[in-house]
Amino acid sequence: MDGLKSTLLRRGGGTRAGRGARTYVWRLEDRTPGAARRAVRDALDGWGVAADDAETAELLMSEVVTNAVRHVRDELRAGEAVKVRVRVMDGLLRVDVTDPEPGLPRVVAASDTDEGHRGMAIVAASADRWGWHPGPGGGKTVWWVQVLEGRGSAVPGRTPSAAARNEQRVAGGKTQRNASSEQG
């Protein structure tokens, strides 16, 4: 397996494909978030996922992979990589990002002048569910799930998506929903 991992890393990433699933491996480098965005976009386009859903997935991918590249301690970088698994099934997208850093992801309230520290807050606000767990052999895996809504209509029988929940407004002490979030 080490030989395969080395070969994939020399090529700047690799993929293993299954029906409705892709696994990628990249070095912990500055160019990795861009490669991850392109890879997830290509996979989702190939599976026929709507553009709005793919755009959200691209944003979340960028945030989590950027965190992996930026926050892995130097002593954990040597020969290590970030691994991404993308799966679509039953109207859901699930993405798992594994890196060698065992430090926990944190949602931080960034100030208006902060140039960073918004990544996990964006994930928490945009994903339908997210979390983390210890990675195999150390490190951690950050994951998120997105309900695939297609052309903005809700998937029947599902709870409102993060986008619909985020459209809720409080007016006069009562929670109101945008008309677009009540469709479906």
Side-chain angles (χ1 to χ4, degrees):
M1 184 65 174
D2 286 334
L4 174 61
K5 182 177 175 183
S6 295
T7 301
L8 293 174
L9 291 174
R10 276 196 308 274
R11 291 189 209 155
T15 182
R16 221 178 18 198
R19 184 179 173 139
R22 298 278 189 281
T23 301
Y24 304 92
V25 179
W26 290 283
R27 291 180 194 261
L28 294 163
E29 300 174 335
D30 289 341
R31 65 184 179 157
T32 297
R37 283 191 303 274
R38 286 186 299 279
V40 76
R41 172 61 80 163
D42 290 346
L44 297 179
D45 285 349
W47 295 329
V49 171
D52 287 350
D53 291 328
E55 188 175 298
T56 299
E58 250 183 298
L59 171 65
L60 300 181
M61 174 73 70
S62 183
E63 296 300 334
V64 176
V65 172
T66 297
N67 282 350
V69 169
R70 285 187 181 165
H71 298 295
V72 170
R73 290 174 285 165
D74 288 340
E75 63 268 20
L76 299 175
R77 286 184 178 274
E80 292 296 329
V82 61
K83 178 181 173 182
V84 175
R85 179 151 169 86
V86 181
R87 291 174 280 181
V88 172
M89 54 192 210
D90 300 326
L92 299 174
L93 167 67
R94 178 173 171 130
V95 178
D96 298 89
V97 179
T98 302
D99 68 61
E101 176 60 55
L104 308 179
R106 297 181 321 191
V107 177
V108 177
S111 73
D112 291 342
T113 58
D114 280 344
E115 291 186 20
H117 309 292
R118 291 179 174 80
M120 294 315 298
I122 290 170
V123 172
S126 301
D128 290 289
R129 291 188 315 266
W130 78 277
W132 70 275
H133 56 82
K140 70 176 166 308
T141 297
V142 176
W143 60 267
W144 75 87
V145 173
Q146 221 179 302
V147 174
L148 299 176
E149 298 184 62
R151 295 170 196 84
S153 61
V155 176
R158 302 235 189 250
T159 58
S161 70
R165 289 191 309 273
N166 292 336
E167 288 178 6
Q168 292 180 346
R169 294 189 174 88
V170 177
K174 294 183 181 179
T175 301
Q176 297 178 342
R177 289 183 185 232
N178 228 341
S180 65
S181 67
E182 293 187 49
Q183 295 174 356

